[in-house]
Amino acid sequence: VLGDKKGSQSKLFDNFSLGLVTNRDAWCYNASKDKLSSNVEQMVKFYNRELKRFNASYSNLSTKERTIKVGGFIDTNPTQISWSRALKHDVAKNKPLIYDKESCIQSLYRPFSKQNLYFNRRLNEVVSQMPRIFPTLKHKNLVIMVKQRWKGNGQLALLMDVMPELQIDGGAQCFPLYLYEKATDDQIDFGDSGNLFANKPAANTQTEGGYTRKDGISDAGLTHFGAVYPSETISKEDLFYYIYGLLHSPEYRERYADNLSKELPRIPAVKAVSDFWDYSQAGRDLAELHINYETVTPYKAKLDSGNKAIKQLTEDDYRVVKMKFAKHKVDGKSVNEKTTVIYNPTITVRDIPLSAYDYVVNGKPAIEWVMERQAVTTDKKSGITNDANNWAIETMGNAKYPLELLLRVITVSLETMKIVNSLPKLDID
C-alpha cells in the first residue's frame, strides 16, 4: 500500500498529507505578492478590531461562554474578513493575530499554475503534515500528489516541488520524497567545530538548516522491492520515481480502476527487473517535465497578431484577461475549435495539435488548466481581484509569461503522452 496511517500493514511511505486548506483562498492566495500582503494585513487589522470590540463586551466571561457569544457578535462582512471555525475560536480564546511577512511563499494552486500563498497556521484552517514536508523556503522537496478516489478522469498523479493546495488534483494525498523535523541540540552541526554531539541521527537522516531530513520512503518499502530484485542496487529515490512512472500506466489504471475509486493505490513489483528500471526512468523523465514546466521549450504554434508583427508587440499587447477557444459550427451548433486559442484581442494561437489535449489532469487537459488560471478574476464575496498578469510581471519579470506558459504546457502535454505511450506492458506475478 502507498500509505497507511492506521499502522495495520506495511507501507511504502512513512507519512503523507492532504494539501493545504485555508478556508479563505481569496485572501490567502494571489498572483501579486504585494496585493496578497495588503489583503492579509487588512484582514488581520479587522480581526484584531473585532477581538478588541468583543473583549470590551465579554471580557468577564469564560472561554466556553465566549465561544457561545462569538458567532452572533462579530461583523461577518465578507469584504473585510473570511471567518472560519478556528478563527472564531481564536476570538473566544482572546488570541490576537500578527501579520508575518515571512509567511508569504510560492504555492502550486492548480496544475501548472503557481500563486503567492500566505502560509500560516493561524490563517490556514488545516495545514496537515505540510510543515514536515515544506518547513521553510530553503528546504527542497518533491511530492507525488495522488487522487484519493480516482474516477477514471485522466492521470492519477502529479509531481510538484512546492506546497500544493488541497484541490490541486481534485482532493488528494501528497507522498513526499523527504520528511523534515526540527533538529534537537544534539543533532545540530555547529559548523567550524566540525563535530556533532554524540547522539547522531539515524543512517537515513541528515541535518540541514536546523531540521533533520528523513527519507519519505519507508525502510520496509525498500526492503520489499529489494527482495524482489536481489541482484540490483535500488535506492529509495529509484523507487520514488518507479512509483511515479507506474501510476502513469494506462494499463495499471484500467486494471485497478475499481480499487482506485475506493482507496489509495497499491504498488506492485513488475516481473522483469528491466521493466522496473524502465518505469523508474519514465518517472524521472516525467518529473523533469512536470517540475520544470516553466522552462521547457515552448511549442511552436502559429501566433497571429493581426496587422502587428510579433516583434512590434508591447507589454500591454501580452496582457491576458480570459483565454477562450475559437468557435465553429457543427450541425448548426457552436462548438469549441481546440486547435485555436484566442489569447486576447491582439493575439491568437493557432495550429495547436489536438493530441496535446490527451494529457488530462483531474478531468481537465493541462492546457485548459492554464487557460483557466492565466486570467483576471474577481471573488464575488470579498471583491478581491486576482490578476495573473501581476505574477507575470512582478515574479517572472516577463509580460509574455502567460502566453509562453500556454505554449510550454503544450510541449509538456505532448512529451508526457509520448512517455506514457512508451511505458512497458504491466507484467506482474
Side-chain angles (χ1 to χ4, degrees), residues 112-114 293-295 318 320 323 343 370 374 388-389 391-393 395-408:
F112 307 104
S113 297
K114 290 178 183 175
Y293 66 90
E294 292 176 298
T295 57
Y318 287 98
V320 64
M323 298 187 214
Y343 174 81
V370 174
Q374 296 300 305
N389 299 283
W391 178 275
I393 294 169
T395 303
M396 307 306 296
N398 178 15
K400 302 177 186 178
Y401 176 80
L403 176 61
E404 292 180 350
L405 181 62
L406 176 67
L407 299 175
R408 293 183 198 279

Side-chain angles (χ1 to χ4, degrees), residues 54 57-66 69 92:
F54 183 76
S57 297
Y58 299 112
S59 61
N60 60 330
L61 297 183
S62 67
T63 299
K64 184 176 180 180
E65 292 171 320
R66 283 165 63 94
K69 297 288 186 181

Side-chain angles (χ1 to χ4, degrees), residues 4-110:
D4 175 27
K5 291 193 175 180
K6 296 178 181 178
S8 60
Q9 54 191 328
S10 296
K11 54 195 177 183
L12 276 170
F13 285 85
D14 279 325
N15 207 343
F16 57 98
S17 176
L18 286 170
L20 183 71
V21 181
T22 72
N23 273 16
R24 50 184 64 84
D25 284 5
W27 295 90
C28 288
Y29 288 96
N30 204 281
S32 167
K33 189 173 181 179
D34 290 341
K35 291 185 178 180
L36 172 67
S37 298
S38 176
N39 292 337
V40 174
E41 283 189 280
Q42 172 191 324
M43 182 165 56
V44 166
K45 288 177 182 177
F46 183 82
Y47 169 91
N48 287 332
R49 287 198 298 270
E50 286 301 285
L51 176 61
K52 183 178 180 180
R53 194 168 67 86
F54 183 76
N55 284 338
S57 297
Y58 299 112
S59 61
N60 60 330
L61 297 183
S62 67
T63 299
K64 184 176 180 180
E65 292 171 320
R66 283 165 63 94
T67 300
I68 297 171
K69 297 288 186 181
V70 168
F73 181 91
I74 54 175
D75 186 344
T76 57
N77 184 347
T79 66
Q80 297 298 317
I81 196 169
S82 178
W83 291 101
S84 61
R85 184 181 65 173
L87 211 52
K88 290 176 184 178
H89 283 175
D90 282 351
V91 172
K93 295 174 183 176
N94 191 24
K95 295 173 67 175
L97 283 174
I98 299 174
Y99 171 73
D100 177 17
K101 65 179 182 180
E102 299 300 320
S103 292
C104 292
I105 65 171
Q106 291 186 9
S107 169
L108 200 65
Y109 188 68
R110 292 291 182 268

Side-chain angles (χ1 to χ4, degrees), residues 44 63 71 73 82 117 124 132 190 213 244 253 256 278 342 359 394 425:
V44 166
T63 299
F73 181 91
S82 178
L117 161 68
N124 302 151
R132 292 193 63 198
F190 287 91
R213 191 186 81 183
Y244 194 53
R253 298 196 306 274
Y256 301 111
D278 285 345
I342 301 171
Y359 178 42
E394 294 177 15
K425 176 179 172 58

Side-chain angles (χ1 to χ4, degrees), residues 107-115 145 147 153 155 157-160 162-172 244 289-290 293-294 359-374 401 405-406 409 412-413:
S107 169
L108 200 65
Y109 188 68
R110 292 291 182 268
F112 307 104
S113 297
K114 290 178 183 175
Q115 293 271 281
M145 196 173 206
K147 286 179 69 65
N153 52 348
Q155 294 299 328
L158 182 64
L159 195 78
M160 58 205 69
V162 293
M163 188 179 302
E165 193 268 343
L166 173 68
Q167 293 296 323
I168 190 165
D169 199 23
Y244 194 53
L289 284 170
H290 300 161
Y293 66 90
E294 292 176 298
Y359 178 42
V360 174
V361 186
N362 188 28
K364 187 183 295 185
I367 295 170
E368 293 183 30
W369 280 117
V370 174
M371 292 176 65
E372 176 187 297
R373 300 308 308 174
Q374 296 300 305
Y401 176 80
L405 181 62
L406 176 67
V409 171
V412 169
S413 299

Side-chain angles (χ1 to χ4, degrees), residues 341-360:
V341 170
I342 301 171
Y343 174 81
N344 65 15
T346 302
I347 302 170
T348 298
V349 183
R350 302 188 187 278
D351 299 338
I352 299 171
L354 289 177
S355 57
Y357 294 92
D358 291 343
Y359 178 42
V360 174

